[in-house]
């Protein structure tokens, strides 16, 4: 185990390259970003095992989110959840025609 740790210490771990607050984020998107940082970490399994033993109260550890000492799959956004899911709106792309009355101006020119 010591040889493995010495080997890893020479590498830059993802959790040491970013602000530690990333791993204790509030928004679901930020939590997913923190989890993605753990994907290629060589200490991921050891980190997760240690956090499970300690029953970490919060944060992303070993690519998993802990809330009150338990691993949860996703962080729910703030506020009350919807009773009915929001309808999916199709994306409509509209072509915008150039304005024929607009006269192009040159930046940096002066009137004489």
């Amino acid at each position: 185990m010591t040889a493995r740790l010495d080997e890893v210490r020479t590498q830059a771990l993802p959790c040491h390259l970013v602000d530690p607050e990333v791993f204790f984020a509030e928004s679901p998107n930020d939590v997913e970003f923190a989890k993605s940082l753990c994907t290629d970490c060589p200490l991921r399994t050891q980190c997760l095992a240690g956090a499970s033993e300690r029953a970490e109260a919060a944060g992303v550890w070993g690519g998993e989110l802990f809330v009150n000492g338990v691993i949860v799959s996703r962080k729910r956004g703030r506020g009350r959840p919807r009773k009915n899911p929001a309808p999916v709106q199709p994306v409509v792309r509209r072509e915008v025609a150039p304005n024929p009355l607009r006269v192009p101006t040159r930046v940096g020119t002066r009137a004489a």
Side-chain angles (χ1 to χ4, degrees):
M1 180 76 175
T2 307
R4 174 84 171 134
L5 288 176
D6 290 337
E7 195 177 295
V8 170
R9 283 189 186 123
T10 61
Q11 299 175 8
L13 299 175
C15 56
H16 292 204
L17 297 175
V18 296
D19 183 14
E21 292 296 318
V22 168
F23 297 95
F24 300 94
E26 290 294 324
S27 79
N29 289 339
D30 292 342
V31 169
E32 292 303 316
F33 171 69
K35 288 167 72 174
S36 73
L37 292 174
C38 299
T39 304
D40 297 326
C41 182
L43 293 180
R44 181 178 181 176
T45 55
Q46 292 92 335
C47 180
L48 181 58
S52 295
E53 287 174 14
R54 294 186 305 273
E56 286 290 342
V60 174
W61 298 88
E64 299 292 338
L65 175 64
F66 282 78
V67 176
N68 297 326
V70 179
I71 295 175
V72 295
S73 60
R74 315 195 89 209
K75 183 163 186 150
R76 190 172 68 82
R78 294 186 67 192
R80 188 174 188 172
R82 293 176 163 266
K83 287 185 178 181
N84 301 315
V88 177
Q89 301 276 337
V91 177
V92 178
R93 292 193 140 183
R94 293 184 288 181
E95 295 295 324
V96 179
N99 186 348
L101 301 176
R102 183 171 175 249
V103 178
T105 58
R106 296 176 108 183
V107 178
T109 58
R110 292 189 201 183

